[in-house]
Amino acid sequence: MSCSLRISRLLLLCSLCWATPLLAQNTTNLPTSMYGVGELCANEGGRYAGMGNVGIGLNRLGFQNTLNPAAITRMDTICFTFDVGVGGSFSYYSFLGDHSYNFTGNPNRLSVGFRALRHWYVMLGVAPYSSVGYAIRTNEEIEGMPNSYATSLFEGSGGLYRVYLTNAFVLSPRLSVGFNAGVLLGTITQSETQESAVVKYENSNHTFYGDIGVHYEFFSTQQEHFSIGAMFSPAMPIGYRNKLTYSNSSTSEGVDKKYHSRRQYLPMHIGVGLSAITWHWIWAADYNYVDWSKNASSYTSMLYQNQHKVSLGATYIIEPRMPRSKELMAGLGYYNSYIDLKKGKMNYLEANVGMSFPIRYSFLSIAAGYRKQINSRKNLMQEDRITLNANFTFGERISRSKLR
């Protein structure tokens, strides 16, 4: 094993150890993140974040695809390819005439991929899965005491992240298959404060998860590729370890014990995508269906509902004759929330733009996005969000000759 290879692996392990706790931090202040597993992190950034995070059917050199495990078989065959990403957002909230805003920022992607054998490709990474972050203050009149009110504060933080290993196999020049195997980890902390009493719920989650994918090219030349991809992830039960803590500053009373909560499941996920690569253009379209029917709500005001998401994306290659070219990106997406709150539905419209440009043998990608929440009722909280993503893709040579 060469010295540079040892250094690459050491840097990867150190980076994973550094990024894992940061990825578990909350990246939202949306009150609805108090339900379920929190707000899902649908966008991991990546080189094509400007396309709106599409790519189930996209398999391209320099693209570490986390949407379809079969679509990583065009990675550079003589390099370790690293992907490092960070993201930030500005959210503006409005509810019945009240307004607030929030800034967040976090690492959102870390992965490394390489060709293990001639027809076997591998990718290892860590990424956020969901985020919880809210603070809700209420004032309720005390029964039997007119004009006297009790103030309650509800707070939550934390989230879940996933660590995954992707394996993809080339079965023929047009067909590849792959699978993901990984773990989902994280802690969600929620508390209720009223006067001097505080009740704190700490929920540590863990589960194994996996998905499978397939990618097929209908037609491929040196300049044009037309392909389809599909992936499937089954529903999986989430293991948990719960802890309840009660304290009261006005007395010495306190409780610290375990408690049971309703079982939750990772949803079943089915996705299909199409892509077309021509001389100057990359076109991609994805459809995702997420089935939450195995989950039951602990709240009378909230129900789970299945999700449908349609995404379209395009990239313009400025200098296609060059091995590495600047690229301009744009994307659109529309989907519904998995939460039905008081029989009110929340939908989201997203628009993204971005640019990727080469730096020697690497790529720096920058993307901006805008998300508009569209509610079925006016008495639901409204959110408008602007996101920024930066991603750096670089490679380190494994050897001076390709794997045979």
Side-chain angles (χ1 to χ4, degrees), residues 214-255:
V214 60
H215 182 271
Y216 183 80
E217 292 186 352
F218 290 104
F219 175 73
S220 177
T221 66
Q222 187 175 1
Q223 298 177 358
E224 295 181 336
H225 303 273
F226 299 92
S227 57
I228 185 172
M231 59 78 60
F232 170 76
S233 177
M236 297 289 288
I238 301 177
Y240 61 89
R241 185 175 66 254
N242 295 336
K243 179 181 177 182
L244 183 151
T245 304
Y246 172 81
S247 61
N248 194 323
S249 60
S250 62
T251 68
S252 59
E253 183 180 0
V255 175

Side-chain angles (χ1 to χ4, degrees), residues 58-120:
L58 184 60
N59 191 356
R60 193 175 181 230
L61 181 67
F63 177 38
Q64 290 201 358
N65 196 332
T66 61
L67 303 176
N68 182 356
I72 62 169
T73 55
R74 289 188 181 274
M75 288 192 296
D76 196 317
T77 58
I78 61 171
C79 286
F80 278 101
T81 301
F82 294 85
D83 243 7
V84 180
V86 294
S89 67
F90 168 78
S91 299
Y92 178 78
Y93 306 101
S94 58
F95 179 67
L96 300 178
D98 294 327
H99 306 280
S100 63
Y101 60 88
N102 175 57
F103 292 95
T104 62
N106 240 17
N108 60 12
R109 182 185 180 97
L110 177 62
S111 62
V112 60
F114 58 95
R115 186 173 74 159
L117 294 174
R118 184 176 182 182
H119 298 293
W120 176 24

Side-chain angles (χ1 to χ4, degrees), residues 28 189 302 328 353 387:
T28 181
T189 301
M302 174 262 183
L328 303 177
V353 293
T387 59

